[in-house]
Amino acid sequence: MLFCQIKTNVINMKILVVGEKKKNVFAYVKALREKGAEAKYLRILKFVLVSKHNKSFIKTTIGLIDKYDAIFIQSRTSLGPFIEPMLEQIEEKKIYSNCKIGSYYNSLNEPLQNVTLTTNGISCPNSIITGNEKNIEKIIERLNFPILAKSIKGKEIQQSMIVNTPSELNVFIKSMKHEMDGYLFKEFIKGRIISCLVIGNKVFAIEQTKENNDSQKINLMKGKTYRVRDDEKEIVISAANAIGYDIAQVDIINKKVISVSPIIPLQEFNKICSENIEKYVADFLIEKVKLQGEKKSYKDDLKKIRKAFSKTLFGRLFSKKKKTVIE
Amino acid sequence: MSSKKIKIEKKFALKEKMSIVIIGSKKFKQSTVNAMISEAQEVFDKAMFVTIDKIQIITTEKGLTLKYKDQNLLTDYDVIYPRFSSNDFLLGEAILKAIETSKAYNPLNLKSFQITNHKYYTSQKLSKEGVPGILSTLLISPKYIDLVIKEIGYPIVMKLISGFAGKGVVLVKDKGQMNSLLDTVHLFEECICMQKFVKSKNPGTDVRCYVTGDEVTGIMRIAKKGDWRSNLSRGGSAKIIEMTQEIKKIALTSAKILNMDICAIDLMDNNGKYVVIEVNFMPGPFKKYIGNLMIKKWIKFLYKKGIENKKKIK
């Protein structure tokens, strides 16, 4: 309060929006600027991570990112191996981000996402993950048909198919041209998928108009706005947080979570829900920066008092060793 | 009955019944597995080896199970020792996350698996805490290579982030070589790790430090003639060495930062100072050169920690 400038004043806030295509995310930059924040867009390809002895930093074509108060990331999960170490640096610099460390790995790996949600008490379709297709009929006795079967090779899901009988499942397994590293079998739940957009404690939702009889593909533009119930709201917010996101799309069916993703389909949600989602996102980011600023301020004040004291006669007499000033 | 006999019987009666399951890669070395199980059976009451592909991870409303035949590995064992590689990354992550819910002792964890399977991430994590390492960078687009060259300069070592046993590593001497390689590498991987080439006092040699709890065993690896990579799988050789305090400290600190009770830290001499080049989640025990030395150490350590853990839970 005494020495440092607390970021409660929006005009002092610097927020970086990181994405892959400008047209997909520039609405957020605009919304932040309208609220008075200094917002900038930068393509994730323009980032380079550097690690030296005792120091690591994020280098971009516009310089270092240290001056930013928040970084809003909207990149695909396959960039997880790049984004994860980047998130660690962002957190170290006490910059707010909508994604926590580990979130992108959780999203990139569907079996891991499944296990993470289950261990956090979040209801998902019953599933079995296995590396071996031998005795598959016996293995999947624990599940009810229809089953969504997925094959895994390396770090990716190769193929997926809904199977209704054990013989269809065998056909799926035998259709694999190469040896797979694993399989994910999930009970396929029929019903209407609800796609929820979680922004902190706010949830916007789109419900599919038709039941998903043969596919888990969602076409948001063919959905209708949906008012989530309290229990559904709790489920989707918990799911987003369990995976590591403050802002995420969470799809549910009959109150079971089927996927969590960091990318917001902005256009679709704006159209169907008749909202300006980017303004809610902007409000959320600004609020987070304010909260972060308040937490930082007293610590910064103590450091500055200590520094000032160490320069006095008493400070020199009583201090045990010199400390370098933290930048 | 003699007093010595009574003491032995008492000790036996007090001995905790301990069990271990070792989860290995789909493609494993039979001789190593045989040696591990043999040593484990000397110490544990029940020892089992199972490959990762034979385990089923079952998630239901009731919770999570790690099933192998009729056993739930999360509850039926006192010690779970995961020994799988980056080849098993997708399943491995899910299994390690599941193991976190178990009360069994596990010397490794999900985070350490994710970090050690990522060359740049390992470097960043360690260097942040002051562990001497190699100047490293990570980028997505070859278009912005100049940002990297400004930091590192040539020659550069280009690595696939999850390469192992010396695979996926290329030495790039100049811009001409870089341009032709970059486009090729980028076809296979979205992220490219580039590191400064370490000029070693003894080229083609490095030190592998096996960390087992607070103990460090040092092995010097010597590259095959003509190869700058010292991996034994590429035809190099190895011998046990006496380590300096500097090397021991680096190895123990690195293992602690990554929260790993069993691992191997590879170091190289960079103009008289040792730097970490790699951390191994699943180190090979170098049986050909040091016999069952490391396997015995690992098993004894796992037994000891398993007992301590079991007492804590009680």
Side-chain angles (χ1 to χ4, degrees), chain A residues 44-46 48-57 59-61 76 78-79 81-82 84-85 88-89 92 101 105 109 111-112 114-116 118-119 123 126-132 139 142 152 154-156 179-181 256, chain B residues 26 53-61 63-64 67 87 89-91 93-94 97-98 101 110-111 114 118 120-121 123-125 127-132 134-141 144 147-148 150-151 161-162 190-191:
Chain A
I44 191 151
L45 298 187
K46 295 184 178 181
V48 168
L49 307 184
V50 183
S51 163
K52 285 182 173 178
H53 183 53
N54 270 337
K55 198 168 74 162
S56 48
F57 50 92
K59 210 170 161 176
T60 72
T61 50
R76 68 199 130 97
S78 60
L79 290 177
F82 183 84
E84 280 295 332
E88 198 142 327
Q89 285 203 40
E92 192 197 338
I101 297 168
Y105 275 144
N109 180 344
L112 175 60
N114 235 45
V115 173
T116 303
T118 305
T119 55
S123 188
N126 294 340
S127 73
I128 294 176
I129 303 153
T130 179
N132 202 324
I139 290 170
R142 295 184 184 95
I152 302 165
K155 293 183 182 182
E156 289 173 2
E179 197 186 335
M180 290 291 125
D181 293 320
K256 289 182 191 261
Chain B
K26 205 170 168 176
D53 59 316
K54 295 207 170 99
I55 296 172
Q56 296 143 44
I57 309 168
I58 302 171
T59 61
T60 65
E61 275 164 351
L64 181 66
K67 206 112 179 123
N87 279 338
F89 198 73
L90 220 61
L91 283 182
E93 280 191 307
K97 185 70 186 176
T101 63
L110 173 61
K111 192 75 195 169
Q114 288 170 335
H118 190 311
Y120 172 81
Y121 206 164
S123 181
Q124 179 182 286
K125 191 79 179 173
S127 69
K128 191 183 94 170
E129 304 291 338
V131 172
I134 304 173
L135 172 51
S136 304
T137 61
L138 189 68
L139 76 160
I140 301 171
S141 172
Y144 302 99
L147 289 175
V148 168
K150 275 183 191 165
E151 292 295 330
I161 54 172
S162 50
E190 292 216 73
C191 301

Side-chain angles (χ1 to χ4, degrees), chain A residues 49-266:
Chain A
L49 307 184
V50 183
S51 163
K52 285 182 173 178
H53 183 53
N54 270 337
K55 198 168 74 162
S56 48
F57 50 92
I58 302 170
K59 210 170 161 176
T60 72
T61 50
I62 58 168
L64 299 179
I65 55 108
D66 299 39
K67 63 182 179 181
Y68 289 97
D69 302 299
I71 296 178
F72 178 54
I73 300 172
Q74 286 288 284
S75 292
R76 68 199 130 97
T77 54
S78 60
L79 290 177
F82 183 84
I83 293 174
E84 280 295 332
M86 188 172 93
L87 289 175
E88 198 142 327
Q89 285 203 40
I90 289 171
E91 192 180 272
E92 192 197 338
K93 294 177 199 314
K94 298 199 185 350
I95 298 170
Y96 170 75
S97 173
N98 54 308
C99 312
K100 302 290 166 278
I101 297 168
S103 56
Y104 263 74
Y105 275 144
N106 281 335
S107 290
L108 182 58
N109 180 344
E110 197 175 335
L112 175 60
Q113 185 172 113
N114 235 45
V115 173
T116 303
L117 291 169
T118 305
T119 55
N120 280 278
I122 292 154
S123 188
C124 304
N126 294 340
S127 73
I128 294 176
I129 303 153
T130 179
N132 202 324
E133 71 273 15
K134 285 179 190 167
N135 299 319
I136 204 83
E137 298 98 330
K138 207 175 176 191
I139 290 170
I140 52 135
E141 268 174 8
R142 295 184 184 95
L143 301 178
N144 297 315
F145 282 97
I147 289 170
L148 177 59
K150 298 187 182 188
S151 60
I152 302 165
K153 182 76 183 165
K155 293 183 182 182
E156 289 173 2
I157 301 282
Q158 294 284 303
Q159 288 183 53
S160 69
M161 188 171 142
I162 295 168
V163 294
N164 295 289
T165 61
S167 55
E168 279 183 22
L169 177 62
N170 273 322
V171 168
F172 172 77
I173 302 285
K174 281 174 184 165
S175 70
M176 299 299 135
K177 288 177 185 170
H178 307 286
E179 197 186 335
M180 290 291 125
D181 293 320
Y183 295 89
L184 167 59
F185 302 110
K186 265 189 191 184
E187 280 182 356
F188 179 74
I189 302 170
K190 289 185 182 178
R192 290 185 190 178
I193 296 174
I194 300 169
S195 297
C196 303
L197 176 53
V198 174
I199 305 173
N201 286 329
K202 281 194 171 60
V203 178
F204 301 91
I206 296 173
E207 185 189 26
Q208 295 298 292
T209 48
K210 285 182 185 174
E211 287 208 353
N212 60 327
N213 289 320
D214 55 7
S215 168
Q216 286 217 312
K217 283 186 184 161
I218 298 163
N219 186 340
L220 291 174
M221 290 305 247
K222 288 188 177 175
K224 58 180 185 181
T225 190
Y226 176 81
R227 193 187 166 87
V228 283
R229 296 196 292 259
D230 286 344
D231 54 351
E232 288 169 333
K233 187 179 177 183
E234 201 187 318
I235 289 168
V236 299
I237 291 174
S238 301
N241 291 343
I243 299 300
Y245 300 124
D246 287 339
I247 297 173
Q249 179 184 340
V250 180
D251 293 341
I252 58 171
I253 188 164
N254 296 354
K255 292 188 204 172
K256 289 182 191 261
V257 175
I258 51 176
S259 76
V260 181
S261 163
I263 306 283
I264 302 173
L266 186 64

Side-chain angles (χ1 to χ4, degrees), chain B residues 153-188:
Chain B
Y154 290 102
I156 283 176
V157 177
M158 194 189 294
K159 292 184 177 180
L160 295 181
I161 54 172
S162 50
F164 60 95
K167 294 176 191 168
V169 181
V170 179
L171 180 62
V172 184
K173 291 179 181 167
D174 53 43
K175 192 176 181 180
Q177 263 191 330
M178 176 65 81
N179 289 338
S180 59
L181 272 167
L182 215 47
D183 288 335
T184 309
V185 171
H186 193 58
L187 281 173
F188 294 99

Side-chain angles (χ1 to χ4, degrees), chain B residues 131-284:
Chain B
V131 172
I134 304 173
L135 172 51
S136 304
T137 61
L138 189 68
L139 76 160
I140 301 171
S141 172
K143 234 176 161 185
Y144 302 99
I145 187 67
D146 289 336
L147 289 175
V148 168
I149 304 303
K150 275 183 191 165
E151 292 295 330
I152 301 180
Y154 290 102
I156 283 176
V157 177
M158 194 189 294
K159 292 184 177 180
L160 295 181
I161 54 172
S162 50
F164 60 95
K167 294 176 191 168
V169 181
V170 179
L171 180 62
V172 184
K173 291 179 181 167
D174 53 43
K175 192 176 181 180
Q177 263 191 330
M178 176 65 81
N179 289 338
S180 59
L181 272 167
L182 215 47
D183 288 335
T184 309
V185 171
H186 193 58
L187 281 173
F188 294 99
E189 210 151 277
E190 292 216 73
C191 301
I192 306 161
C193 175
M194 305 221 194
Q195 293 182 319
K196 194 174 181 70
F197 179 66
V198 174
K199 282 180 191 171
S200 173
K201 225 179 179 178
N202 305 304
T205 64
D206 67 13
V207 175
R208 167 159 287 192
C209 299
Y210 285 103
V211 174
T212 316
D214 294 328
E215 200 185 314
V216 185
T217 310
I219 312 283
M220 176 163 279
R221 296 189 301 182
I222 302 152
K224 182 179 151 189
K225 208 177 179 182
D227 199 335
W228 56 278
R229 295 162 294 184
S230 55
N231 305 80
L232 296 192
S233 53
R234 308 206 70 80
S237 60
K239 59 180 183 178
I240 297 178
I241 55 162
E242 195 64 46
M243 287 171 297
T244 60
Q245 282 306 313
E246 178 205 358
I247 294 175
K248 269 190 192 169
K249 190 181 173 189
I250 292 171
L252 287 171
T253 308
S254 302
K256 195 176 177 189
I257 290 165
L258 295 169
N259 204 7
M260 298 167 86
D261 286 342
I262 295 178
C263 64
I265 317 281
D266 294 343
L267 294 112
M268 195 178 266
D269 181 341
N270 181 16
N271 292 327
K273 281 198 168 180
Y274 277 91
V275 296
V276 174
I277 46 174
E278 200 175 356
V279 177
N280 288 274
F281 184 88
M282 187 195 85

